[in-house]
Amino acid sequence: MSCAACAVSVESIVAAQAGVQAAAVNYANQNLQVDFDPTVISPADLQNAVRSVGYDLIIAANKAEQEDQQAAAKQEYYQQLRRDTILSGVFAIPVAIIGMFFMHMPYADWIMLCLTAPIVGYFGRRFFVHAWKQAGQGHANMDTLVAISTGIAFLFSAFNTFYPAFFQSHGMDAHVYYEAAAVVVFFILLGKLLEEGAKARTSTAIKKLMGLQPKMARIIRNGQMEDVEIARLQKGDWVVVRPGERIPVDGTVREGQSFVDESTITGEPLPVSKTIGAQVFSGTLNQKGSFQFEAQKVGSETLLAQIIRTVEQAQGSKAPVQRLADRIAGVFVPVVLGLSVLTFLVWYFIGDENALAHALLTSITVLVIACPCALGLATPTAIISGVGRGAENGILIKDAESLETAYRVDTVVLDKTGTITVGNPEVVAWHWVGEAEKKHHLPVLHSLEQRSDHPLAEAIQRDLEKEKPKVIALQDFTNHPGQGVAGVFEQKIYRAGSPAWMNSLGISLPEEQLLAWSEKALSIVCFAVDQDLLAMVGIGDAIKEGAADAVRQLLSRGVEVHMLTGDNMATAMAVATQTGITHVQADTKPSEKADYIRSLKATGKTVAMVGDGVNDSEALALADLSVAMGKGSDIALEVASMALLRSDLRHLPKALYLSRQTVRTIRQNLFWAFFYNIIGIPIAAGVLYPFTGYLLSPMIAGAAMALSSVSVVGNSLRLKTLKL
């Protein structure tokens, strides 16, 4: 497709087919998304419909075949475009030199005719073929403008070359415009070549992601190790990963250990430790160790495949502002054709002795300069660059509409557990009465908690394992339900349990420390020997690193931040105090979270909801912008329109900033696309001639048209280097 009007033509012809519910064409990435009833119309019928307007549709048996065909088609098109551009330039340059400086040399017109004919008839044939097919369907596009303008210029010049006496007998010069036809075709081809190169660069995010998955995997079947293609991997296969290899599919480590670089998925620079039971993901890079894992998600089910699919869909989707541009593009070409005819008639009837020459020159120039390429590229190239930049930084944007909505967000609602906090009980504070005896008593506490089945005991055990305490044998271990555990070591009774249990045993506790931790909503476990307190452990749902910083950034940008949680108010206020959140709603059920979102929207606010659990799904669905934490539930990730793959709240302000910059780029592109045509068409029509004697050359118009498209794509490419 060569312009926005081409995309509208394809979209309209597909949408008009029986059985098609919706069709959307993205000009920038040459993609068609269509919802259709396969019992009424087949993919082959859709392909024939697209072919009827001069284009083609790739139909493949699988994703890999489709990608290969698409890549081959793009490569073939690019090579042909490059060849036609170079050869048309070789022919057009001498035509331009003769037409501008040596027009009175012997046989000048005949030389220019011989040089221009292959440019218009062969190198520029695509414009005439597409224009003819479009006309057969009652449509017009950029190819129509180029074909009419260059075709008329060439035919008029050829007529004057063969029959110069026709105009000379009427006292007029037999002007020729070979240079206009030749150079316009060359400049438009050159503009398309530059545009194709720029568009290819906007899609590098997808190519990078696709390049992450290895083609082969090493598996163990029937006790034998063999290399198989990724497509042949099955769930349950044991996959061997050696040092430096990429992991082919998602699964769980069953044997061995290593560190894995997951920056391609999460963006986190530090490698993640992988031991037995840990999850591994397709496309991530194993470090120095080796391990075997069980394949659990293969093919399109892997996290990497889902990310690629989401990015493709987002880059192919349309932002609301694009629909306006499409409507304009749909009527733009017929309007320009009308303006060209009007320009010709005005100049022909009110002009001087050169009225016919002026009428022809201005009408051709109007057709050339009015190409709607820049208008068609304004939105999709910015969307492609913005979505790609987000994917590179662990911000998964599922559609263009959410990218456009995000910049209007003025209120952010955060779930607490798993969003602001880690979501698991963790030791956040220790208070030792005798620091010197700590090393002696740590193994006893570790052994007590190893034998306890309480969730808080697991948190203490995980924390103590960092110290690698030695294992000791306890005597007379006793579990006191609801209170704690006790055991004997070296003829002393050790206890670990609640403050209330310790008080009932007459063990004194530091009241000031208890009060301070209670205000922070920490669960407290006391550790004592006989009647003496040894230590107190503060356990809570730790606040994620960067959560407070994220809230501070949002508030500094004038965004209201609210927190919703099903937890009690004391815990909620403790978290709110530490993060700087002032709007807090505690003890909320899932339906009440949804009601809270409705109430905020009812006041006119644009609301973003951030959550990670099944209980957040209803609220996420109701929000103007829904954001899921990357390590949350599958349902939350499915409902949300954005996902923060690193589960780091600091990426929320980055996502909103990316949205703002993308929308800003779209507006800049649309402004220059419209401004270019608003200024260019009147100048091309000759409004300056009565005052300055200046008429715009079709050659300059062709160059300006090509430059406008390249400038719009170049402006969008700036998003690829945006610092988030």
Side-chain angles (χ1 to χ4, degrees), residues 256-269:
Q257 63 179 35
S258 183
F259 283 85
V260 174
D261 179 358
E262 295 186 341
S263 60
T264 52
I265 300 293
T266 67
E268 294 292 348

Side-chain angles (χ1 to χ4, degrees), residues 260-489:
V260 174
D261 179 358
E262 295 186 341
S263 60
T264 52
I265 300 293
T266 67
E268 294 292 348
L270 293 177
V272 180
S273 174
K274 298 295 181 182
T275 56
I276 293 174
Q279 282 191 307
V280 291
F281 301 100
S282 171
T284 55
L285 183 64
N286 183 33
Q287 301 288 291
K288 295 180 180 179
S290 62
F291 58 89
Q292 296 176 21
F293 73 93
E294 181 184 349
Q296 294 174 329
K297 291 184 178 180
V298 298
S300 62
E301 296 177 348
T302 67
L303 177 62
L304 179 62
Q306 291 172 16
I307 291 173
I308 292 172
R309 186 162 58 250
T310 300
V311 173
E312 283 181 327
Q313 289 172 349
Q315 290 187 336
S317 62
K318 290 188 178 181
V321 69
Q322 175 67 18
R323 294 173 196 137
L324 172 63
D326 285 348
R327 285 198 297 271
I328 293 171
V331 299
F332 187 79
V333 174
V335 168
V336 169
L337 290 173
L339 287 173
S340 177
V341 172
L342 179 63
T343 300
F344 180 90
L345 294 175
V346 169
W347 276 106
Y348 184 76
F349 287 110
I350 69 169
D352 50 20
E353 67 275 6
N354 294 316
L356 180 61
H358 287 173
L360 186 65
L361 184 69
T362 52
S363 60
I364 289 172
T365 307
V366 166
L367 292 174
V368 171
I369 204 167
C371 164
C373 285
L375 182 63
L377 290 166
T379 300
T381 52
I383 293 294
I384 289 172
S385 293
V387 170
R389 187 61 178 155
E392 291 169 1
N393 285 270
I395 302 166
L396 191 58
I397 301 162
K398 296 190 177 181
D399 57 61
E401 190 164 354
S402 61
L403 188 64
E404 190 173 333
T405 300
Y407 92 99
R408 294 188 285 107
V409 167
D410 53 27
T411 305
V412 169
V413 179
L414 304 173
D415 171 52
K416 180 183 77 70
T417 307
T419 302
I420 300 175
T421 64
V422 174
N424 292 314
E426 289 188 354
V427 174
V428 295
W430 285 89
H431 172 75
W432 283 91
V433 176
E435 189 71 28
E437 299 179 14
K438 177 180 174 181
K439 283 191 177 181
H440 177 70
H441 296 302
L442 268 180
V444 182
L445 178 59
H446 184 254
S447 298
L448 279 171
E449 300 297 16
Q450 267 190 326
R451 299 181 67 174
S452 172
D453 58 0
H454 197 280
L456 296 183
E458 293 180 18
I460 296 174
Q461 189 180 328
R462 285 196 304 270
D463 194 70
L464 288 175
E465 282 172 355
K466 300 172 188 175
E467 305 284 339
K468 297 182 179 178
K470 63 183 180 181
V471 179
I472 64 171
L474 292 174
Q475 297 173 336
D476 299 328
F477 176 82
T478 311
N479 188 359
H480 300 268
Q483 296 178 313
V485 291
V488 177
F489 178 68

Side-chain angles (χ1 to χ4, degrees), residues 28 48 68 97 155 198 210 288 395 419 425 458 463 499 510 515 535 587 615:
N48 291 332
D68 290 344
I97 293 172
L155 292 174
M210 288 179 172
K288 295 180 180 179
I395 302 166
T419 302
E458 293 180 18
D463 194 70
L515 181 62
D587 298 306
N615 61 329

